[in-house]
Amino acid sequence: MLTKELEKAFEPAAAEKRLYDYWVKNNYFHAQDKSDAPAFSIVIPPPNVTGMLHMGHALNNTLQDVIIRFKRMQGCNTLWMPGMDHAGIATQNVVEQELKKEGISRHDLGREKFLARVWQWKEKYGGVIINQLKRLGCSCDWERERFTMDEGLSQAVREVFVRLYNEGMIYQGDYIVNWCPRCHTAISDLEVEFKQDQSFLWNIRYPYADGDGEIVVATTRPETMLGDTAVAVHPEDPRYKDKIGKMVILPLMNKKIPVIADDYVTMDFGSGAVKITPGSDPNDFAMARRHNLEIISIMDGHGIINEHGGSYKGQERYEARRNVVADLEKEGYLVGIEPYGHNVGQCYRCKTDIEPMVSKQWFVKIKPLAKQAMNAVTKKKTRIVPATWEATYFDWMTNIRDWCISRQLWWGHRIPVWYCDGCGKVIVATIDPDVCPDCGGASLRQDEDVLDTWFSSSLWPFSTLGWPKRTKALKTFYPTSLLITGFDILFFWVARMMMMGIYVMKDVPFHDVYLHALVRDEKGEKMSKSKGNIIDPILMIDQYGTDAFRFTLAAYTAQGRDVRMSPERIEGYKFFVNKIWNAAKLTLGSLADFDPEAPCDAPDSLPEKWIKARLNKAITDVIAALDEYRFNDATAAIYHFIWHEYCDWYLEVSKPALYGKVGPEQKSVTQRTMKEVFGIMLQLLHPFMPFVTEELWQALHLHNSDENSIMVSAFPTAQAAWDDQAAVEEMEMLMEIITSVRNIRGEMRISPSQKLKVLISVADEQGKKAIEAGCDYIVNLANLESLAVDVNLAEPEGVATGVVGPTRIYVPLAGIVDIASEKARLEKELAKVDKDLEHSSRKLANHDFLEKAAPEVIAKEEGKLKSFQEKFAALETALKKISGISL
RNA sequence: GGGCGGGUAGCUCAGCUGGAAGAGCGCCACGCUUACACCGUGGAUGUCACAGGUUCGAGCCCUGUCCCGCCUACCA
């Protein structure tokens, strides 16, 4: 039945390409808009168009593909929705860099031409990552690929903006926001990264206007004093109680500002008085609103002091700091400087120090949305896995502040708001208006700003399915079944999808969220370009093959744990692929004369019963693990079964049958079983190692249906008929006997090629029968010349003794090895058992234990004690005997 | 300042609702037995961070301490 032989080793590179093309050609990744099969859907965390595949992506998408393939094989109508994110700031930066090389800025080009350039860039270089995902084996429904700037998705953005606006959930206003002086845009609170900075605390004196002394304030940002509009103290502070309401002179500016009282001030910090700069500090801004203080912005968007900064106008902010400090000192206002460590906010994208600035921005009123998003998790409509993240989610949602959604960029969804030059009317619409609905004027200007990239991402679970159109896909796949993403974007993305999904769709965006950890290097450090410890996933794929790489990622994904990636580990699993390949070669060779059509009614013999029972266990374990996203447990179960049960034991024990030494009937039974078990094994492994499993599935003609591909075959289920505890125990008893002989061989340094004559003593006739039935297995695997079994055999002279339960294994040593080494071996064994025995008996001598422990625990302990006692006695007898001889 | 996670074999980690510890890699010894040396067989290794407590019994539960990560926060 088989035509071609397998190559010496699996060649990943060629096979991967061929098989992936084959899958795509056969449309296996495609999900049906409507189907009788249960729907299962995942939307991909859309990578940035500018992105290249890194370890985080590799992990994230491997896990998704594992689940997707698993569910697809389980018969679900499975959708993995792929796509990309336009990544406003990142992409705009890339193209601006490109322009810079040509010596021009985006302003030289103008908005329209610049955007044309970005699109051009996107078509040409964007989406490299999509092809990289294909190399990872991702079975996304590529026909449905979406981009956040697509027509449809842009429509969804407008639709949601208008709805939020009309319902009073979006507002515009002058507020203090996080401003990046390099990107020239506002960013949200989340996009600010705080970094420890060793700086100074400058203490400055502000004299009272009436000449009656002074007040000292401390600041980490002396240059902002140019915009101070008050000094604040705590209302209860006895030092300042009578100063409240007085005026002080603002140094350098020669301006009078009031002393106000606010309990925001901490009395025991510094002098207990704080300068208030509403234009440059969020807290001061809040205070200014409470006290109706003047709000002065002393800087422009580039971080340069403007006309409100007096003589410092035109100076860059840090230059201004130096000059302000120098002048304060010169004029005697500087009281002192002390070293001070504090946090400085930086732009997450370009690491420039953030400048809090007052500007007109659009905001989403977030509290009502957050409340619903929390409810959904409380009521388990969405389950967060691992559950430890729930606390973080709730905490963030509880303390959330309004979301600044406007960005002063060009690349992105332009805010659908127009202003009428004629009457000043504000028009908010999903379709570009031609004329003002109020005055009919045609001179309309659209808002210059675009929306935060995360605004469109937050709609991803339904916008990709066609919303606002009521598509079949939307009906079938929303809410999606599962989201798999890194915990680092829990707030950025997951939380916002929750809010928007519930707000727009009236239902949660996904039932389960699985949050995985970060991939670090082998020393546990975060990978970064600057550290130079980046491991390129594509390089790993080239080197070890996709299957080994994916298996490694899954194997090291324990819940809530970081993944420490190291090439050595991947290599280890490459060896596993090789092992499977070679097992297939043996299987394939052995099946050469197997006729699957010819009926073989012969019953399974012991090894067949055993391997099927063990396979059942593997199936059960893998399914249970995957159902709970315990990826490492699933890989461990498969690895152990394939290597240590199927290869190490079943194949070894079956070799005589395969080589025709046992008879044609047993050969057929073995062939039948090998084929079945090997096929199921491949199916279990397929979600993790899609390529090698497909290759072997086809090479071995394991499919039974018209569908040739393993990826659309039915995922295995445990079969009750295969559970056979008696067979497992009997087989494992034989295995222990074999191991026992091998142990003696190894410990005594008996050459593997030295055939042994072994005697076995059993407790009863039943035991005798069992061993006799397994005699051939023992002879073969322990490499014996002969094996004799009898009930209660007297211990012979000059033997090494092994103990397995009630069974004694005697290996005659005459002429093979000296007695002393057996004595040493027995003593070692004995010491081990003695320790166990001691513990067990002490436990059973304890009255409290006997009274209070569960009966089954006591029974188990009694069983243990008995077997320890037996073993001890047997070893002791053997030792006495052998000692007697040596004397 | 709050919160979360972690400290288990040389390394990387498993260990579910408590019944005296496991895997992979590495290490040591032996071995080219017709799938595989990307292999086989055997072996060694742990006061489960520390100190108390609960319990008949704790790696697992409670309290405290010490380290290590991460997230979060307006003490100028």
Side-chain angles (χ1 to χ4, degrees):
Chain A
M1 74 178 242
L2 296 157
T3 48
K4 73 169 191 189
E5 268 188 38
L6 290 175
E7 301 289 327
K8 182 136 176 52
F10 181 53
E11 301 287 347
E16 287 169 14
K17 172 96 178 68
R18 171 167 42 80
L19 292 171
Y20 198 88
D21 289 348
Y22 159 78
W23 291 327
V24 170
K25 204 183 83 206
N26 283 279
N27 222 20
Y28 289 138
F29 300 165
H30 187 58
Q32 303 303 317
D33 273 354
K34 206 167 166 354
S35 157
D36 292 333
F40 184 89
S41 54
I42 295 182
V43 291
I44 200 170
N48 293 351
V49 261
T50 55
M52 299 280 277
L53 193 80
H54 61 236
M55 277 294 169
H57 293 124
L59 172 66
N60 176 243
N61 289 289
T62 293
L63 300 184
Q64 290 178 78
D65 199 44
V66 166
I67 296 293
I68 282 287
R69 285 179 184 270
F70 172 58
K71 290 291 177 181
R72 190 184 288 119
M73 287 173 78
Q74 284 192 321
C76 292
N77 177 28
T78 306
L79 168 64
W80 187 6
M81 171 66 76
M84 283 185 296
D85 192 289
H86 66 280
I89 296 183
T91 312
Q92 177 158 326
N93 277 351
V94 168
V95 178
E96 283 191 284
Q97 289 303 317
E98 205 175 63
L99 291 179
K100 204 172 168 187
K101 282 181 207 148
E102 297 166 27
I104 50 175
S105 77
R106 68 183 155 112
H107 300 282
D108 296 331
L109 277 182
R111 187 164 190 148
E112 211 167 305
K113 278 189 182 154
F114 176 74
L115 287 179
R117 245 333 252 274
V118 181
W119 277 105
Q120 214 176 49
W121 183 92
K122 188 249 171 193
E123 295 310 326
K124 203 166 169 190
Y125 304 108
V128 174
I129 197 165
I130 293 294
N131 289 317
Q132 295 179 316
L133 289 176
K134 291 177 180 173
R135 289 212 56 197
L136 240 198
C138 294
S139 58
C140 300
D141 190 350
W142 297 113
E143 283 173 39
R144 295 178 193 262
E145 187 184 334
R146 292 289 188 275
F147 180 49
T148 46
M149 290 290 282
D150 278 351
E151 185 90 29
L153 275 72
S154 301
Q155 196 53 41
V157 166
R158 282 197 172 190
E159 205 64 56
V160 172
F161 185 96
V162 171
R163 192 186 287 191
L164 283 165
Y165 181 86
N166 289 339
E167 294 181 6
M169 297 291 291
I170 279 184
Y171 64 95
Q172 187 189 30
D174 284 303
Y175 291 91
I176 194 149
V177 293
N178 308 296
W179 183 269
C180 175
R182 200 214 62 90
C183 298
H184 298 145
T185 179
I187 56 178
S188 71
D189 293 343
L190 272 182
E191 287 160 316
V192 181
E193 282 176 359
F194 286 91
K195 225 192 88 192
Q196 259 292 333
D197 184 34
Q198 271 310 317
S199 175
F200 300 96
L201 203 53
W202 284 271
N203 292 294
I204 308 166
R205 72 175 111 242
Y206 287 15
Y208 290 112
D210 58 12
D212 180 21
E214 63 192 23
I215 194 163
V216 174
V217 297
T219 179
T220 53
R221 300 202 57 193
E223 71 281 13
T224 63
M225 66 159 295
L226 303 173
D228 281 1
T229 53
V231 167
V233 296
H234 196 277
E236 302 303 324
D237 194 329
R239 291 169 294 180
Y240 301 112
K241 239 174 167 170
D242 60 328
K243 313 290 188 195
I244 296 162
K246 285 180 79 163
M247 301 299 275
V248 293
I249 306 270
L250 182 61
L252 308 182
M253 298 301 282
N254 283 318
K255 216 174 99 171
K256 286 181 189 169
I257 56 174
V259 176
I260 60 166
D262 193 296
D263 51 19
Y264 155 77
V265 181
T266 312
M267 278 189 267
D268 44 13
F269 185 89
S271 64
V274 56
K275 61 191 262 325
I276 301 301
T277 320
S280 298
D281 184 283
N283 302 302
D284 295 3
F285 181 82
M287 203 184 294
R289 298 208 136 203
R290 287 197 290 274
H291 295 272
N292 269 317
L293 298 175
E294 193 187 353
I295 297 168
I296 304 171
S297 287
I298 56 158
M299 268 177 238
D300 67 11
H302 299 261
I304 292 172
I305 307 295
N306 63 18
E307 66 276 14
H308 298 122
S311 60
Y312 302 91
K313 182 184 172 196
Q315 298 182 11
E316 187 275 333
R317 50 187 171 153
Y318 293 108
E319 182 191 355
R321 174 178 300 178
R322 286 188 295 275
N323 292 331
V324 165
V325 170
D327 292 345
L328 284 171
E329 183 160 28
K330 202 162 59 192
E331 296 181 26
Y333 291 111
L334 193 63
V335 179
I337 304 173
E338 45 190 301
Y340 191 67
H342 67 135
N343 289 329
V344 176
Q346 298 187 332
C347 172
Y348 79 111
R349 175 87 7 228
C350 68
K351 314 295 174 201
T352 303
D353 287 355
I354 287 300
E355 189 59 48
M357 278 204 353
V358 176
S359 63
K360 184 170 277 194
Q361 303 289 344
W362 290 93
F363 296 87
V364 174
K365 231 183 253 176
I366 213 81
K367 288 270 183 194
L369 298 176
K371 199 180 158 199
Q372 300 229 45
M374 279 194 276
N375 272 341
V377 173
T378 309
K379 291 190 183 141
K380 304 283 173 207
K381 293 207 70 180
T382 292
R383 194 165 66 106
I384 298 178
V385 183
T388 48
W389 288 106
E390 277 182 15
T392 310
Y393 173 85
F394 286 128
D395 183 60
W396 187 73
M397 284 286 194
T398 308
N399 299 312
I400 199 166
R401 292 196 294 176
D402 283 354
W403 178 14
C404 173
I405 51 169
S406 44
R407 296 292 122 91
Q408 288 63 52
L409 304 173
W410 285 352
W411 176 240
H413 301 100
R414 196 156 172 187
I415 290 177
V417 173
W418 288 262
Y419 307 98
C420 174
D421 285 335
C423 66
K425 162 96 181 161
V426 176
I427 307 153
V428 180
T430 54
I431 304 165
D432 293 18
D434 294 325
V435 292
C436 174
D438 276 16
C439 72
S443 178
L444 304 176
R445 281 176 301 105
Q446 185 170 6
D447 196 295
E448 292 293 322
D449 292 351
V450 300
L451 288 165
D452 180 5
T453 305
W454 294 104
F455 189 89
S456 56
S457 317
S458 70
L459 317 179
W460 188 250
F462 48 91
S463 63
T464 50
L465 290 169
W467 191 89
K469 290 200 195 97
R470 304 214 154 279
T471 60
K472 280 184 192 159
L474 194 63
K475 204 168 173 235
T476 303
F477 295 114
Y478 192 95
T480 65
S481 316
L482 169 67
L483 180 82
I484 297 185
T485 192
F487 67 76
D488 50 324
I489 53 173
L490 176 60
F491 306 143
F492 276 108
W493 194 44
V494 180
R496 284 162 177 173
M497 280 191 288
M498 285 293 288
M499 295 191 278
M500 288 303 200
I502 294 167
Y503 178 74
V504 176
M505 301 297 294
K506 310 286 175 233
D507 202 349
V508 293
F510 21 73
H511 293 304
D512 281 5
V513 180
Y514 177 77
L515 296 169
H516 61 251
L518 254 47
V519 184
R520 298 169 182 281
D521 73 2
E522 46 208 310
K523 280 178 253 148
E525 290 185 34
K526 211 166 165 174
M527 291 189 193
S528 73
K529 275 183 202 156
S530 51
K531 276 190 213 148
N533 60 349
I534 299 251
I535 303 175
D536 178 4
I538 296 298
L539 215 66
M540 295 299 105
I541 287 174
D542 288 341
Q543 217 164 339
Y544 304 108
T546 298
D547 292 320
F549 180 54
R550 286 170 56 121
F551 199 86
T552 309
L553 288 166
Y556 285 90
T557 301
Q559 293 197 356
R561 277 276 193 157
D562 285 338
V563 176
R564 293 201 185 188
M565 182 47 61
S566 92
E568 288 75 42
R569 298 212 184 111
I570 309 174
E571 192 184 27
Y573 287 115
K574 189 191 122 187
F575 297 161
F576 180 45
V577 173
N578 183 253
K579 185 77 182 175
I580 296 162
W581 186 261
N582 278 289
K585 266 166 63 180
L586 176 65
T587 306
L588 183 74
S590 312
L591 291 177
D593 61 349
F594 178 59
D595 180 3
E597 303 303 322
C600 169
D601 299 328
D604 284 343
S605 45
L606 185 61
E608 279 72 36
K609 289 179 189 160
W610 171 75
I611 195 69
K612 284 179 177 175
R614 298 303 301 164
L615 179 59
N616 248 11
K617 166 106 171 87
I619 294 169
T620 311
D621 288 351
V622 169
I623 292 174
L626 284 181
D627 280 344
E628 293 167 47
Y629 314 117
R630 287 184 286 112
F631 295 94
N632 59 326
D633 287 344
T635 52
I638 299 170
Y639 185 94
H640 184 262
F641 176 78
I642 294 181
W643 201 311
H644 298 303
E645 298 195 301
Y646 184 78
C647 291
D648 284 354
W649 288 101
Y650 184 69
L651 287 183
E652 291 306 326
V653 95
S654 300
K655 275 177 180 175
L658 293 176
Y659 296 149
K661 292 176 183 161
V662 186
E665 196 168 71
Q666 180 56 37
K667 184 169 182 177
S668 298
V669 170
T670 305
Q671 287 174 323
R672 181 182 71 193
T673 308
M674 274 175 80
K675 187 176 172 187
E676 184 163 26
V677 173
F678 199 82
I680 291 174
M681 219 165 77
L682 290 179
Q683 288 175 307
L684 286 178
L685 186 57
H686 180 261
F688 301 91
M689 294 193 167
F691 294 110
V692 73
T693 50
E694 179 74 282
E695 184 80 338
L696 293 175
W697 180 262
Q698 295 189 15
L700 273 68
H701 295 273
L702 290 168
H703 49 280
N704 301 310
S705 64
D706 299 339
E707 291 287 10
N708 199 31
S709 172
I710 192 174
M711 69 165 284
V712 289
S713 69
F715 200 81
T717 49
Q719 303 189 25
W722 288 358
D723 277 327
D724 189 339
Q725 192 51 33
V728 169
E729 277 168 22
E730 194 174 332
M731 181 70 192
E732 284 174 357
M733 187 263 294
L734 296 177
M735 288 158 66
E736 279 183 62
I737 290 173
I738 292 163
T739 303
S740 173
V741 177
R742 286 170 170 174
N743 169 281
I744 289 170
R745 195 190 277 282
E747 293 273 289
M748 318 272 297
R749 305 281 164 84
I750 301 170
S751 152
S753 54
Q754 168 86 50
K755 287 194 182 255
L756 301 171
K757 293 179 187 168
V758 168
L759 305 165
I760 292 183
S761 169
V762 292
D764 51 31
E765 282 300 324
Q766 204 192 331
K768 185 175 174 184
K769 253 194 210 157
I771 304 234
E772 274 171 351
C775 177
D776 287 350
Y777 309 134
I778 301 173
V779 167
N780 280 312
L781 296 186
N783 194 27
L784 307 186
E785 186 184 314
S786 65
L787 175 63
V789 195
D790 216 333
V791 179
N792 293 326
L793 202 68
E795 179 161 348
E797 301 288 331
V799 294
T801 307
V803 181
V804 174
T807 307
R808 309 278 169 273
I809 299 130
Y810 302 121
V811 181
L813 301 174
I816 299 174
V817 77
D818 66 304
I819 300 300
S821 60
E822 166 62 0
K823 196 179 157 193
R825 192 188 69 88
L826 284 173
E827 277 166 349
K828 194 169 112 187
E829 277 287 279
L830 202 58
K832 224 190 276 179
V833 181
D834 188 42
K835 220 173 128 194
D836 292 338
L837 185 62
E838 159 114 28
H839 259 148
S840 210
S841 54
R842 194 190 304 159
K843 202 166 181 178
L844 283 163
N846 185 338
H847 290 294
D848 287 325
F849 174 71
L850 295 172
E851 261 170 51
K852 292 173 185 172
E856 61 267 25
V857 172
I858 297 172
K860 198 176 153 195
E861 200 58 44
E862 280 167 344
K864 264 158 96 181
L865 179 69
K866 197 170 161 237
S867 74
F868 289 148
Q869 281 168 337
E870 279 175 4
K871 191 160 185 180
F872 187 87
L875 290 169
E876 204 177 34
T877 311
L879 188 61
K880 270 184 193 155
K881 187 133 196 170
I882 210 155
S883 301
I885 286 165
S886 65
L887 284 173

